[in-house]
Amino acid sequence: MAKVLVSDPIDQAGIDILSQVASVDIKIGLSSEELAQIIPEYDALMIRSGSRVTQEIIEAGTQLKIIGRAGVGVDNVDVNAATRKGIVVVNSPEGNTIAAAEHALAMMLALSRYIPDANASVKSGKWDRKSFIGAEVYKKTLGVVGLGKIGSHVATAAKAMGMKLLAYDPFISTERADQLGCRLVEMDVLLQESDYITLHIPKTPETTHLIDAAAIAKMKPNARIINCSRGGIIDETALYNALKEGKIAGAALDVYETEPLGDSPLKSLEKQVILTPHLGASTTEAQVNVAIDVAEQIRDVLLGLPARSAVNIPGLGPDVLEELRPYMQLAETLGNLVGQLAGGRVEQLVVKLQGELATNKSQPIVVAALKGLLSQALRERVNYVNASIEAKERGIRVIETRDAAERDYAGSLHLEAKGSLGDHSVTGALLGDSEIRITDIDEFPVNVPPSQHMLFTLHRDMPGIIGKIGSLLGSFNVNIASMQVGRKIVRGDAVMVLSLDDPLPDGILDEITKVSGIRDAYTVTL
């Protein structure tokens, strides 16, 4: 039975799901050294923000198949190291959306009305109303940096409160921003015109210290900034200096460059600053949601199914996965088939999306085709995570093309492998929702479903060939499940595709190639 290590507090609902398919060990508060020491025993690791999964830990995890982060950010996981090892890294991009958005809104309102300081004042026995005259958010301008799921929810709620909305997000269309009631602007414009700024972006090399001294200098003197996304997006030293000198009116932070927050000068500031200990996802509902979401993905991967929110599988979000899953299976099957037909070293793979498939997102399909292509050589070492890396390291050039012209099938996929032993191509399509059909072998038309054991021959189209092959297989006690011949012209070249109940015994392939008229023969195991 698979083993899962849970190294941070996780809601019991997640533990219950994992227990359906694995033995679950809960060990909280491990040091990096302790985690590295025991991780070789485990097939999966489930964490929150407390555990840091370094390259050393990943290298030590010789059995690891998946790392699950119960939350949105994965900056405490060395994703590159995991990808190189073929380990899936998943998160829960939607599980705490509402919790994080509501916390940002709560911080904005609390900052505007000095609620934490007013509360402390009353509890200390004072009744000092004059010191806590706040500001209304109604008709003020809110600048939303990042219009993802959380930023979009914040924008929707802020609009309902009567705020004017600006947004900066280089990956969002003007149409999407208009739907949310936001005016899409450049970052400098947002900084200059906003009364409130709320950050909802990941921490990357490009966003680290996005809000630095130069950015703060562009803000209004009465501006307030809220960060419930990731620590390090704001230069905390520059922020402290600006607040101390009165260059902006306030800041509310839930995340920090170093957590827990240490000896920060921000702690010395009073009512113009609110600091909370990374509470964005800390609601009962969010904890249950992310635990279930990530536990289900770990369960699926351990059962051999794809994860729906893997951060290191290119282009494979939940919506894309659901839509393309059948085509990914088609691509993997065809990749496996063409790789075996090509034999030897493959130098180039052409992936052509045809018909309706040409309008779909291609990257997951290309990755699936590469996984199939490499599966015979690498077996369980290749997966959706590392297929592209493995192909690149082997010098396989990948060419992607599209052809939206109408064909016999609504959407089909054509793969062509060029290698040291020659070139081969296959085409396939889906019947109905998920029934795979091989429709073309080396430009010969066929219509056969893939099976575990298959025999392909290239032969001259002449009387007696089919009977001879059938008799030869029968003499070796090999049962034929189905057979089809594809040809371009009568008595020209043809291919024969046989589905077999059993693998071919040793030596029989040589006997097949000795049959008069047979030019080549290939066995394929899918």
Side-chain angles (χ1 to χ4, degrees):
M1 181 179 254
K3 293 184 68 177
V4 179
L5 175 62
V6 176
S7 61
D8 288 321
I10 301 295
D11 189 272
Q12 186 61 40
I15 305 298
D16 293 342
I17 291 169
L18 294 174
S19 299
Q20 297 170 4
V21 296
S23 170
V24 182
D25 291 340
I26 303 172
K27 298 183 179 181
I28 310 300
L30 295 172
S31 67
S32 295
E33 292 75 18
E34 290 170 329
L35 183 54
Q37 187 174 6
I38 65 172
I39 200 64
E41 305 174 26
Y42 295 95
D43 302 278
L45 173 63
M46 188 169 182
I47 63 170
R48 286 187 63 203
S49 59
S51 297
R52 299 202 65 81
V53 187
T54 62
Q55 180 177 347
E56 291 71 26
I57 292 169
I58 289 168
E59 292 293 337
T62 52
Q63 302 299 319
L64 270 184
K65 299 177 179 65
I66 181 169
I67 299 167
R69 161 70 160 94
V72 176
V74 289
D75 46 339
N76 56 328
V77 178
D78 191 330
V79 177
N80 290 332
T83 302
R84 287 192 296 270
K85 289 271 290 183
I87 299 169
V88 181
V89 180
V90 302
N91 65 347
S92 180
E94 299 183 31
N96 60 12
T97 295
I98 301 302
E102 289 183 354
H103 193 63
L105 292 163
M107 294 279 265
M108 179 177 68
L109 293 170
L111 188 62
S112 294
R113 301 304 295 269
Y114 304 120
I115 289 174
D117 289 275
N119 171 68
S121 176
V122 172
K123 287 184 175 180
S124 69
K126 299 177 183 177
W127 192 258
D128 184 6
R129 298 173 64 191
K130 291 182 180 179
S131 296
F132 304 111
I133 297 175
E136 296 180 5
V137 300
Y138 180 63
K139 290 189 176 180
K140 297 296 194 309
T141 297
L142 174 64
V144 183
V145 181
L147 273 182
K149 295 184 183 300
I150 297 173
S152 295
H153 189 77
V154 170
T156 300
K159 183 181 178 184
M161 291 192 293
M163 299 187 79
K164 301 173 186 177
L165 300 175
L166 300 179
Y168 170 75
D169 191 324
F171 305 105
I172 292 290
S173 67
T174 302
E175 291 75 18
R176 173 57 178 160
D178 288 343
Q179 289 174 2
L180 294 167
C182 296
R183 177 164 63 96
L184 206 57
V185 297
E186 293 299 319
M187 188 66 185
D188 282 355
V189 175
L190 184 144
L191 292 170
Q192 292 162 8
E193 297 186 11
S194 298
D195 301 300
Y196 295 85
I197 296 172
T198 180
L199 306 176
H200 301 287
I201 52 178
K203 183 185 179 185
T204 67
E206 293 74 28
T207 64
T208 298
H209 286 188
L210 176 69
I211 305 300
D212 57 9
I216 293 171
K218 297 171 184 175
M219 294 165 59
K220 294 179 178 181
N222 66 334
R224 294 172 171 86
I225 189 164
I226 299 100
N227 186 16
C228 294
S229 56
R230 282 285 167 260
I233 296 173
I234 297 178
D235 181 336
E236 292 172 12
T237 301
L239 178 64
Y240 168 77
N241 291 334
L243 290 166
K244 186 73 173 175
E245 296 166 13
K247 293 181 179 178
I248 61 173
L253 308 181
D254 186 48
V255 290
Y256 311 92
E257 293 192 60
T258 302
E259 295 183 7
L261 183 63
D263 229 357
S264 170
L266 290 169
K267 292 181 177 180
S268 65
L269 302 175
E270 296 184 354
K271 61 182 183 179
Q272 71 265 51
V273 174
I274 296 175
L275 307 175
T276 56
H278 206 143
L279 299 179
S282 295
T283 66
T284 301
E285 296 85 353
Q287 295 309 302
V288 173
N289 290 340
V290 297
I292 291 174
D293 187 4
V294 173
E296 287 178 343
Q297 294 186 76
I298 292 175
R299 176 199 63 194
D300 289 349
V301 168
L302 292 179
L303 291 174
L305 302 171
R308 59 176 175 264
S309 296
V311 300
N312 56 347
I313 302 181
L316 207 57
D319 297 339
V320 173
L321 175 61
E322 189 62 31
E323 180 182 355
L324 294 184
R325 191 193 304 268
Y327 283 110
M328 291 174 65
Q329 185 58 55
L330 170 66
E332 187 172 340
T333 300
L334 295 181
N336 193 342
L337 173 56
V338 78
Q340 292 184 64
L341 292 178
R345 185 171 67 87
V346 174
E347 299 163 354
Q348 178 176 291
L349 179 69
V350 178
V351 182
K352 181 186 288 186
L353 284 69
Q354 302 179 147
E356 291 182 2
L357 188 58
T359 64
N360 278 279
K361 191 161 187 164
S362 63
Q363 199 168 18
I365 295 173
V366 173
V367 169
L370 288 172
K371 179 178 183 291
L373 180 75
L374 296 169
S375 61
Q376 289 298 313
L378 300 178
R379 301 295 176 180
E380 69 280 354
R381 282 176 49 204
V382 65
N383 53 40
Y384 290 124
V385 177
N386 64 2
S388 295
I389 293 174
E390 294 285 357
K392 185 176 181 180
E393 289 179 348
R394 283 159 178 74
I396 299 174
R397 184 185 180 203
V398 180
I399 299 174
E400 175 198 328
T401 65
R402 296 170 184 264
D403 181 359
E406 291 187 6
R407 285 179 166 77
D408 293 338
Y409 298 91
S412 60
L413 181 66
H414 176 82
L415 302 183
E416 182 177 351
K418 299 179 182 294
S420 57
L421 301 181
D423 303 345
H424 289 274
S425 66
V426 297
T427 305
L430 295 176
L431 296 185
D433 292 333
S434 58
E435 189 177 348
I436 296 174
R437 281 288 189 276
I438 301 167
T439 62
D440 187 289
I441 298 288
D442 288 333
E443 299 184 0
F444 291 94
V446 295
N447 187 344
V448 295
S451 62
Q452 184 177 7
H453 306 293
M454 304 184 79
L455 171 65
F456 296 81
T457 68
L458 174 64
H459 63 274
R460 189 155 47 90
D461 183 29
M462 56 186 286
I465 287 282
I466 295 174
K468 290 178 182 178
I469 296 299
S471 297
L472 181 58
L473 292 177
S475 69
F476 280 85
N477 198 33
V478 176
N479 197 43
I480 300 172
S482 68
M483 184 277 296
Q484 188 177 123
V485 173
R487 63 186 185 180
K488 299 175 185 176
I489 58 173
V490 176
R491 294 185 182 266
D493 285 340
V495 297
M496 181 163 47
V497 183
L498 298 98
S499 297
L500 310 175
D501 289 337
D502 305 289
L504 286 183
D506 291 341
I508 190 172
L509 198 62
D510 290 336
E511 295 298 319
I512 291 172
T513 57
K514 293 177 184 177
V515 173
S516 177
I518 297 291
R519 298 185 176 178
D520 215 340
Y522 309 86
T523 57
V524 168
T525 302
L526 298 176

